[in-house]
Amino acid sequence: YLNQRHEYRRLIWSNLLNGCNSLWLFTETGGEGMLAADGRIPEHVKWVLPDYQAVVNGFGQLVMQAERQDSKVAVLHDYRSVVGAERFDKLSRYRESHKVFDRILNNAGIQYHYIGGRELEEGILAKEKFKTLLLPFTTCITLEQANKIRQFVKKGGTLIADIAPGIMNGHGKIIPHGMLADVFGVNQEPENKTINGKVISTIGIKLQFAMAMPGIKALTAKSMGTVATTPALFQNKFGKG
């Protein structure tokens, strides 16, 4: 009950601070909306009224008109990878991957932008002068996207991915070693499974749980840890990035 109350309040402020200009609340069939059937104000509305009033009475306008600091971080979302995730493993992994990146960036106070697959192909990384590109469970990467990412990293951009990046092309065809093997410095031999376990790191990173692909091998990249016995935490230099 208490957690639900905090969640209602959190939704108001998190959406406002993430650039949203409205918040829409929906109830399931039989649930109470902003007004109950007998005209009374339900408890969950009473919880958030002070927060609503604080936003409406001026603070919301102040935040909406403020200029957000831009960390020049882009996160790729492409529907091809949604389909690819379903084929390769589970769709839930795609959603969870994005949630994890979101939590990490928000907790670090980093402002980021979502970009689409077509925007990537049209050169948004260079146009908007992004410094970092994140690929959450991005299993499918088109040839044009791969070329844009390759140019981005060569010129000094930072590329970060979690698992199975570019193991398929834009048509969902598995590509031996992956679409960005030279950029990541690893060979990926796709297997329809992942390994779960504790991360043993050589650089002081402590993670109690992580996933890794069993068919991954380093080329020019350096592995800085393992999940079970599988190499993980790869770092690679490509061009200036």
Side-chain angles (χ1 to χ4, degrees):
Y1 185 80
L2 183 61
N3 288 339
Q4 187 181 29
R5 179 174 183 171
H6 286 177
E7 179 64 13
Y8 273 108
R9 297 189 65 198
R10 186 194 68 81
L11 282 172
I12 295 173
W13 296 104
S14 64
N15 279 276
L16 174 66
L17 296 175
N18 277 288
C20 298
N21 60 9
S22 65
L23 176 62
W24 295 51
L25 299 178
F26 296 88
T27 58
E28 296 180 358
T29 302
E32 293 181 330
M34 299 299 286
L35 285 177
D38 57 6
R40 61 183 172 81
I41 298 177
E43 282 299 310
H44 69 271
V45 176
K46 292 180 181 178
W47 294 342
V48 297
L49 277 179
D51 299 275
Y52 273 121
Q53 290 169 348
V55 172
V56 173
N57 288 342
F59 186 77
Q61 290 297 319
L62 178 65
V63 173
M64 291 300 297
Q65 293 176 19
E67 183 176 346
R68 299 178 69 193
Q69 292 183 338
D70 194 342
S71 301
K72 293 300 178 182
V73 173
V75 180
L76 179 63
H77 168 63
D78 192 327
Y79 192 74
R80 297 177 182 91
S81 287
V82 176
V83 178
E86 184 67 37
R87 172 188 172 185
F88 173 69
D89 196 15
K90 293 181 179 179
L91 181 58
S92 60
R93 292 277 175 89
Y94 184 85
R95 292 194 296 263
E96 286 301 317
S97 182
H98 278 263
K99 287 180 181 179
V100 169
F101 272 90
D102 175 72
R103 291 191 195 105
I104 292 173
L105 293 170
N106 279 320
N107 289 341
I110 296 174
Q111 305 281 3
Y112 63 95
H113 300 264
Y114 262 102
I115 64 171
R118 182 177 296 178
E119 289 180 308
L120 174 57
E121 293 175 349
E122 293 173 350
I124 193 173
L125 295 177
K127 292 175 184 176
E128 298 297 331
K129 299 180 180 179
F130 283 111
K131 297 179 180 178
T132 302
L133 174 63
L134 307 181
L135 305 178
F137 207 13
T138 306
T139 55
C140 293
I141 294 178
T142 69
L143 179 60
E144 184 60 29
Q145 289 171 356
N147 289 335
K148 293 297 183 182
I149 292 173
R150 198 170 279 110
Q151 294 170 13
F152 169 73
V153 178
K154 272 186 176 180
K155 293 180 180 179
T158 298
L159 179 64
I160 300 174
D162 52 0
I163 190 169
I167 61 170
M168 292 180 273
N169 64 14
H171 301 288
K173 178 183 178 181
I174 293 178
I175 303 298
H177 314 313
M179 294 291 290
L180 293 169
D182 55 337
V183 180
F184 287 114
V186 298
N187 267 352
Q188 300 183 82
E189 298 298 339
E191 297 184 27
N192 196 25
K193 64 178 181 179
T194 54
I195 291 176
N196 302 330
K198 183 178 180 180
V199 173
I200 300 175
S201 169
T202 60
I203 55 173
I205 295 177
K206 296 181 180 180
L207 294 173
Q208 294 300 315
F209 176 81
M211 293 185 298
M213 287 183 59
I216 190 167
K217 296 180 181 180
L219 294 175
T220 57
K222 180 181 178 182
S223 173
M224 296 176 289
T226 58
V227 175
T229 58
T230 300
L233 299 175
F234 292 96
Q235 183 180 38
N236 189 51
K237 187 73 176 177
F238 184 77
K240 296 180 180 180

